[in-house]
Amino acid sequence: MTLVLIALGAAVGAPLRYLTDRFVQSRHDSAFPWGTLTVNIVGSLVLGLVSGLPFVWSALLGTGFCGALTTYSTFSYETLKLAQSGARFYAVMNVVASVVAGLGAAAVGMLLATAFSA
């Protein structure tokens, strides 16, 4: 049953990642990967929110949905591509923004989850 829940969450998260990435990136005339940054921050927030939920929900939303929505591999690839193309400032800013904003979003999600469960 857990595997089915994870697959269902991923079936929603993966297309949403693609659509969100394309939507956000199409609105920026820049080499900076705004779409990937956006999905990773949103996924971190959602994962923080579901961190206190029962296992069945964390499997569906945390592992399935957030696992498919967020993308470390694309973040890594795009960062290396920026560095190799000479856009080193963008590469460094992508790393800093992704780590700081991702951790911040997860922390906010966890705080919200705690506040709502009290």
Side-chain angles (χ1 to χ4, degrees):
M1 182 61 172
T2 302
L3 186 59
V4 171
L5 291 171
I6 292 169
L8 288 172
V12 173
L16 186 60
R17 173 182 56 174
Y18 174 78
L19 294 172
T20 302
D21 178 66
R22 295 295 90 212
F23 176 79
V24 171
Q25 203 60 40
S26 72
R27 276 143 179 73
H28 293 89
D29 187 26
S30 166
F32 191 84
W34 291 106
T36 301
L37 180 64
T38 300
V39 295
N40 286 341
I41 292 170
V42 169
S44 295
L45 176 68
V46 172
L47 190 57
L49 282 168
V50 303
S51 64
L53 294 178
F55 177 75
V56 66
W57 290 107
S58 66
L60 174 72
L61 298 173
T63 305
F65 178 74
C66 290
L69 177 67
T70 60
T71 173
Y72 189 78
S73 58
T74 303
F75 156 74
S76 301
Y77 170 76
E78 288 172 343
T79 302
L80 288 174
K81 197 167 106 176
L82 286 168
Q84 290 172 342
S85 72
R88 287 184 174 81
F89 176 76
Y90 279 163
V92 170
M93 291 314 300
N94 190 36
V95 171
V96 171
S98 294
V99 171
V100 171
L103 289 172
V108 167
M110 291 176 79
L111 288 171
L112 289 172
T114 301
F116 288 124
S117 67

